[in-house]
């Protein structure tokens, strides 16, 4: 069942997806620090997911065309990138404009109360 869903055994999949989620974390941070919009994470995440499938195929003889595996990997990579993007952007707004904004919850900021 795991081989059908992920295209390879769980251990190999976990190592590869952990590596690419780390790459997605760096990508989300870079997008936020360069003030690019979050929608730029989508094509980059798709490219990372394609590279993920290719690495699984080349290193572990996994199924290159596993659609459920591609969808799961893409989702994890995209959510990691978007979450890191919003965390970084919120911290950046509060750090660069401390007289205007304060941290609100984990992913957002708000105007300071007078």
């Amino acid at each position: 069942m795991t081989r059908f869903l992920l295209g390879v055994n769980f251990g190999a999949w976990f190592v590869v997806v952990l590596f690419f989620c780390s790459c997605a974390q760096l990508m989300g941070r870079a997008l936020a620090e360069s003030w690019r919009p979050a929608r730029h994470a989508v094509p980059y995440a798709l490219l990372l997911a394609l590279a993920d499938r290719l690495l699984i195929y080349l290193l572990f003889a996994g199924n290159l065309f596993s659609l459920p595996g591609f969808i799961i990997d893409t989702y994890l990579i995209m959510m990691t990138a978007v979450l890191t993007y919003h965390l970084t952007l919120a911290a950046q707004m509060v750090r660069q404009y401390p007289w205007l904004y304060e941290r609100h919850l984990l992913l957002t900021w708000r105007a300071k109360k007078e």
Side-chain angles (χ1 to χ4, degrees), residues 13-100:
W13 173 83
F14 186 74
V15 168
V16 173
V17 84
L18 189 65
F19 172 74
F20 278 98
C21 282
S22 300
C23 294
Q25 182 181 6
L26 294 173
M27 184 247 311
R29 187 181 309 155
L31 287 174
E33 288 176 352
S34 62
W35 298 99
R36 293 204 166 103
R39 69 177 179 267
H40 286 189
V42 174
Y44 295 139
L46 288 173
L47 287 173
L48 281 176
L50 287 172
D52 173 80
R53 289 280 75 185
L54 186 64
L55 199 64
I56 285 174
Y57 172 71
L58 293 175
L59 291 181
F60 302 106
N63 186 0
L64 180 62
F65 301 109
S66 170
L67 186 60
F70 179 74
I71 291 171
I72 291 169
D73 294 351
T74 304
Y75 177 77
L76 290 173
I77 289 168
M78 200 169 301
M79 290 302 109
T80 302
V82 170
L83 179 67
T84 305
Y85 174 87
H86 285 291
L87 283 170
T88 305
L89 191 63
Q92 188 172 330
M93 290 296 288
V94 172
R95 185 178 60 245
Q96 287 191 355
Y97 306 107
W99 63 92
L100 289 176

